[in-house]
Amino acid sequence: MNKPNDILLSDYAERISYSGPNEDSRSELKALNINENDSVLCITGGGDRVLSLLLGKPKKITAIDLNPCQNYLLELKIAGIQALNHEEFLSFSGILPCQERQNTYNEIKHLLSKKAELFWAENKAIIEKGFIYEGAFEKHFKLISVIIKAIRPNKIKTLTSLNNIEDQREFVRSQWNTPAWKTFLQFLTNKYFFKFFLKDPGFYQHTPQAISVSEYLLGRMDHSLMNHLVLDNFFMTFLLTGKYNPEQGLPLYLEKNNYPLIKGALDNTTIEMVTSPLEQHLYNSKSKIDKFSISDVSAYLNEESFVSLLDSIYLAGSENSILCMRHFITKREIPDTIRNKFSFNSALEKELNHSDISFVYSFNVGVKCERQFT
């Protein structure tokens, strides 16, 4: 087993990197086809994908992250969902205005672990402001949205209110995609800009030199604007306006019809939170895992560690286990040694690349092959 030397815990242990939804969990639900007998392993991140996967009603979800702060955030979200109704949770999280968040926290903190309670006692400002916008990623893009709204206020208002895809396409072609806008976005999406301001190595550390980050992101944004209504897209809405629309286009687990389903699933699904390097946990795992939702971990790993991780997933998986893996800018080729161990569904991968409204990602989806290897 390779040592997890690509990411230093000290770089992440004292901050929340992701506090809100930045992935369209409908993709994972479709790829993994979760059922009530499944044991699921999921990267914690902001916790939103873990919560959305509860719609599959699995027997157990292991939420794992290298950063303990992300698990403390997930604990807080779970406690909020257990104790609050839909509107109360939207207010507590920061999506709706609220002056009583600290009082709400005091009412639910008994549902937290001691470590999580200590963390939140030391980070009261995050609670008071509304935690959904307080991750490093969210604060970075919220600041960018202030600039965007300042230079294109009327166009933002129009784009986020159109309810017909043909009207949106025409607006994008005729008024949105101007040369000045593209130049501005090229500056904002330069990998060195990410490195200096966001300080997240997943945006730059293992990005091949031949890949233009700005051209890739511009192309994927255009794809989304031409195929998915911004009005229904929580991810695009946040990037453009710096907030989520409480009336329409919320992330899956916060949709009004899904919220009681998530609340009910929390009574039946065991959620175990683990703070550990992923490969180390898999190596030490005593029980087999049926479904893997490992997000974009490849962006933080060198090639050797990436292949070693896939080997560990193969060994930790049950018969016919399913792997769903996202890729952001770091596009990994799956080596033949791994392709012999998983049957990858290229048609489904292509479909998810097209339909996923968190448009910056591509996918690998594979089923473990039960063969003997030498």
Side-chain angles (χ1 to χ4, degrees):
M1 181 183 66
N2 289 346
K3 293 182 179 180
N5 54 6
D6 287 282
I7 311 174
L8 297 177
L9 180 58
S10 59
D11 293 338
Y12 295 91
E14 296 181 358
R15 77 172 194 182
I16 293 175
S17 296
Y18 301 95
S19 58
N22 53 41
E23 296 173 347
D24 178 6
S25 298
R26 292 175 298 181
S27 297
E28 276 77 10
L29 285 167
K30 183 163 191 175
L32 296 175
N33 192 26
I34 295 169
N35 65 60
E36 62 187 11
N37 296 314
D38 280 339
S39 175
V40 180
L41 182 137
C42 182
I43 302 298
T44 305
D48 304 271
R49 187 158 32 86
V50 176
L51 294 167
S52 292
L53 293 185
L54 286 169
L55 291 171
K57 302 179 181 179
K59 183 178 181 180
K60 178 181 179 181
I61 297 179
T62 300
I64 183 168
D65 208 288
L66 192 65
N67 180 356
C69 302
Q70 300 299 152
N71 284 331
Y72 300 148
L73 176 63
L74 176 57
E75 280 197 54
L76 182 66
K77 290 183 179 182
I78 289 174
I81 292 172
Q82 288 174 324
L84 306 173
N85 65 34
H86 185 247
E87 185 174 348
E88 289 169 341
F89 185 87
L90 294 183
S91 299
F92 179 55
S93 68
I95 293 176
L96 288 176
C98 180
Q99 302 298 321
E100 305 292 333
R101 292 194 183 103
Q102 191 59 50
N103 290 339
T104 301
Y105 171 74
N106 290 336
E107 293 173 1
I108 69 172
K109 66 181 181 180
H110 68 280
L111 297 171
L112 302 175
S113 67
K114 293 299 182 183
K115 287 184 178 180
E117 190 175 345
L118 178 61
F119 173 81
W120 291 114
E122 296 173 348
N123 289 276
K124 292 180 179 179
I126 295 177
I127 298 285
E128 292 166 356
K129 293 176 183 178
F131 58 76
I132 204 81
Y133 299 125
E134 289 302 299
F137 175 91
E138 286 74 20
K139 288 192 283 189
H140 174 78
F141 284 98
K142 195 172 178 66
L143 177 60
I144 289 177
S145 74
V146 171
I147 302 171
I148 295 174
K149 287 186 290 185
I151 64 176
R152 313 191 104 191
N154 294 330
K155 289 182 178 180
I156 291 287
K157 185 176 181 180
T158 298
L159 186 59
T160 55
S161 63
L162 292 170
N163 59 12
N164 179 284
I165 192 63
E166 290 299 334
D167 291 341
Q168 180 172 295
R169 287 169 180 163
E170 177 57 30
F171 178 78
V172 170
R173 292 190 198 101
S174 63
Q175 299 187 51
W176 183 260
N177 275 344
T178 64
W181 169 245
K182 290 185 176 182
T183 299
F184 176 66
L185 275 191
Q186 284 174 344
F187 169 72
L188 288 182
T189 56
N190 184 287
K191 69 178 179 180
Y192 299 106
F193 185 87
F194 285 140
K195 183 175 182 179
F196 182 78
F197 288 101
L198 192 55
K199 298 180 174 63
D200 187 328
F203 284 77
Y204 59 83
Q205 186 171 12
H206 297 295
T207 303
Q209 291 296 321
I211 291 180
S212 168
V213 175
S214 58
E215 286 184 13
Y216 171 75
L217 293 177
L218 281 169
R220 292 303 297 170
M221 178 175 279
D222 280 348
H223 165 82
S224 183
L225 291 173
M226 298 304 283
N227 291 283
H228 309 298
L229 280 173
V230 174
L231 184 65
D232 296 329
N233 187 338
F234 69 85
F235 186 67
M236 184 72 82
T237 296
F238 174 72
L239 292 180
L240 295 176
T241 69
K243 60 184 180 180
Y244 302 107
N245 182 351
E247 302 298 328
Q248 188 165 353
L250 285 170
L252 198 60
Y253 79 102
L254 286 182
E255 290 180 2
K256 193 169 186 178
N257 291 337
N258 287 334
Y259 189 81
L261 301 178
I262 300 297
K263 186 187 282 280
L266 285 170
D267 293 331
N268 299 304
T269 298
T270 299
I271 298 182
E272 177 188 12
M273 296 179 210
V274 176
T275 300
S276 168
L278 177 54
E279 187 179 351
Q280 179 178 307
H281 174 76
L282 294 174
Y283 183 79
N284 294 324
S285 179
K286 298 293 191 295
S287 57
K288 294 294 185 181
I289 299 163
D290 303 303
K291 308 291 168 66
F292 296 85
S293 174
I294 65 166
S295 190
D296 180 37
V297 297
S298 65
Y300 299 88
L301 302 174
N302 61 32
E303 188 68 28
E304 181 183 4
S305 297
F306 174 65
V307 173
S308 181
L309 173 61
L310 293 180
D311 275 326
S312 297
I313 289 172
Y314 176 81
L315 293 173
S318 63
E319 182 179 358
N320 297 319
S321 59
I322 302 176
L323 162 67
C324 181
M325 177 169 49
R326 290 176 179 263
H327 302 282
F328 178 36
I329 300 170
T330 306
K331 306 299 182 184
R332 300 288 189 181
E333 289 293 329
I334 305 296
D336 290 340
T337 55
I338 298 299
R339 288 197 174 274
N340 288 334
K341 298 181 179 182
F342 292 89
S343 175
F344 287 95
N345 188 335
S346 59
L348 179 56
E349 292 168 355
K350 185 176 181 180
E351 179 184 342
L352 298 180
N353 292 345
H354 177 80
S355 64
D356 192 273
I357 63 173
S358 52
F359 52 89
V360 299
Y361 300 102
S362 58
F363 288 85
N364 283 124
V365 180
V367 179
K368 178 178 177 179
C369 300
E370 289 301 318
R371 302 172 184 170
Q372 297 297 316
F373 296 91
T374 58

